[in-house]
Amino acid sequence: MIDLHVSRRAALLALPVLAAPALVRAQPVFPNRPIRIIVPFPAGGATDLTARVVAERMPALLGQPGEPSRFPVVVDNRPGAGGNLGSDVVAKAEPDGHTILCCTIGTASINQFLYTKLPYDPTRDLASLALVNEVANGIVVAADSPFRTLADLLAAAKARPGELNYGTPGNGTSGHLCGEYLKTKAGVNLTHIPYRGTSGVIPDVLGGRVEVAIDNLPGYLPHLKEGRMRALAVTSAERWFSLPEVPTVSQAGVPDFEAVAWFGFQAPARIPAPVQERLADAILGAVAEPATAERLREIGSAPKPLGPVAFDRYIAAENAKWRDVVRAAGAKLD
C-alpha cells in the first residue's frame, strides 16, 4: 500500500529541484536591448571622447564567446548644470544595466561640495563600474596672446585683479576647480566664465573674448598641434606625455600644484551584482586592448583602469582632496 502522506511530502521536496532549471531560464539575459551611456557634457570634450572610445568595443565584450552582442552601445549627450543633469538621469534610471553614466571628477566628487543642493547623491545613488583614464588640464591661450608663459599671465592678473577671464566647460568641472585652486595657490584674482562644454570655450579663446582656458587637454590638442593655441602649463605633477615640451604649473612657478581630471563609468546604485560585474569586465576589457589604450593616449589621456572596489577607494581619496579645495576657495553654486 502506498503511503500517500510520504509520497506527497517527497513530491513537495522535489519541487525546488524541478523548478530550478525553469527559474534559471526565466532570468533575463543581459543585455537584452541597447545600452545607453549618458555623457553629461556636450560632444567633443574629453568625457565624450572617452565614452565613445570605450563604447565602440563594449558590444564585442558583452556577447557570448566568439560572438558579439547584437545590441549596440550608444552615447547620449545630456549636458547641463556642470554634469548634474545627465548624472541625475542615470541615478534615477532603472537599475538593470542598460543606462550607465560616463562620470567625471566633477560629477562623482567635486559637485557635491560645490553645489548647495544636488538632485542626486553621488555616493548613495550611483554604483562604481570602472575608472578608465586620467587627463591633465591645460592652461591654454590663443597663439597671438601676449602671455607667453604662466608667469606672464599671473603677473597680469596681479596687476589687474579680476579683469582677466578664464573659460572652462562649466561650473563644477575640473577646469573650474583647477582655476580656483590656481587663484588660491598663486594669490591672484581671475574671473571664471563657465560654458556649456569645451566646444564653447575654444572659439571664444581663439577670438580673444576670453584670455585663457583651463580645461581638459584632449579637446585642445588639435589646435595646439596646428599652432592656433599655446599651452602655458599643464596641471599634472609631471610633464604630460602628449605635450612633453610644456612645463607643469609647479615648474612654471606655483609650487606643489597638482590636479588631474579623470573619467570612469557608474550605474544606478541598485544594479544587480552580476550585471555590475559584467559591465565592469567589458569596460576594463576594452581598456586592456592595446588598440583601445592607444586611442585613449591619442586623445591625450592616460589609461588608468580600476575595477569597482578600487574605483570606490579612488573616489574617496579624491573627495577628501576636493572638499578642502572647495572650502579654501570659498566657491559655492546654487
Side-chain angles (χ1 to χ4, degrees):
M1 180 176 180
I2 297 174
D3 188 332
L4 294 177
H5 177 74
V6 171
S7 298
R8 185 181 177 201
R9 183 164 177 252
L12 288 172
L13 288 172
L15 277 176
V17 176
L18 295 172
L23 288 173
V24 169
R25 287 194 300 273
Q27 292 295 316
V29 175
F30 176 82
N32 55 46
R33 61 181 184 276
I35 292 173
R36 184 172 53 140
I37 298 177
I38 299 293
V39 172
F41 295 98
T47 316
D48 180 69
L49 294 172
T50 296
R52 291 179 189 278
V53 168
V54 174
E56 187 176 303
R57 292 298 304 147
M58 285 181 68
L61 298 165
L62 285 168
Q64 300 303 316
E67 181 182 344
S69 169
R70 59 193 176 91
F71 299 106
V73 177
V74 297
V75 172
D76 183 359
N77 296 87
R78 295 290 189 95
N84 294 335
L85 295 184
S87 300
D88 188 48
V89 169
V90 178
K92 293 179 170 60
E94 187 69 27
D96 57 10
H98 290 93
T99 302
I100 63 176
L101 174 70
C102 189
C103 64
T104 71
I105 183 176
T107 64
S109 182
I110 292 172
N111 287 3
Q112 62 189 304
F113 310 118
L114 185 64
Y115 286 83
T116 54
K117 184 181 291 186
L118 285 184
Y120 68 100
D121 183 319
T123 301
R124 185 193 63 213
D125 298 336
L126 294 166
S128 292
L129 296 175
L131 178 66
V132 169
N133 55 340
E134 289 182 331
V135 172
N137 284 321
I139 299 176
V140 178
V141 296
D144 59 359
S145 168
F147 307 125
R148 309 295 301 179
T149 66
L150 181 61
D152 291 342
L153 173 68
L154 297 179
K158 287 179 180 179
R160 298 151 52 195
E163 292 184 25
L164 300 184
N165 299 325
Y166 76 97
T168 75
N171 288 318
T173 60
S174 63
H176 176 200
L177 266 292
C178 273
E180 297 303 309
Y181 193 26
L182 179 66
K183 286 163 59 175
T184 301
K185 295 281 283 184
V188 298
N189 185 8
L190 298 164
T191 298
H192 177 223
I193 307 296
Y195 288 79
R196 287 174 61 86
T198 296
S199 59
V201 185
I202 291 173
D204 275 9
V205 173
L206 290 172
R209 292 176 288 277
V210 175
E211 284 81 8
V212 60
I214 304 179
D215 197 356
N216 305 150
L217 275 175
Y220 295 78
L221 286 177
H223 303 281
L224 293 167
K225 291 176 180 177
E226 292 167 5
R228 302 175 68 209
M229 287 183 151
R230 179 170 59 253
L232 304 181
V234 294
T235 62
S236 46
E238 305 292 336
R239 293 195 180 209
W240 201 246
F241 70 93
S242 57
L243 292 173
E245 72 282 4
V246 177
T248 67
V249 173
S250 294
Q251 290 170 339
V254 184
D256 304 318
F257 188 102
E258 179 189 2
V260 295
W262 45 263
F263 307 89
F265 290 86
Q266 294 174 307
R270 299 180 310 282
I271 185 172
V275 176
Q276 180 184 23
E277 183 179 350
R278 188 126 186 255
L279 282 167
D281 287 347
I283 294 164
L284 294 172
V287 180
E289 294 179 347
T292 305
E294 182 57 30
R295 287 189 63 194
L296 289 171
R297 291 187 187 93
E298 286 173 358
I299 66 171
S301 71
K304 190 179 178 69
L306 294 177
V309 175
F311 191 17
D312 278 339
R313 290 196 296 264
Y314 184 92
I315 291 173
E318 287 290 278
N319 286 349
K321 174 179 179 175
W322 291 106
R323 181 188 298 113
D324 292 344
V325 170
V326 171
R327 286 174 180 167
K332 275 293 175 185
L333 295 170
D334 294 326

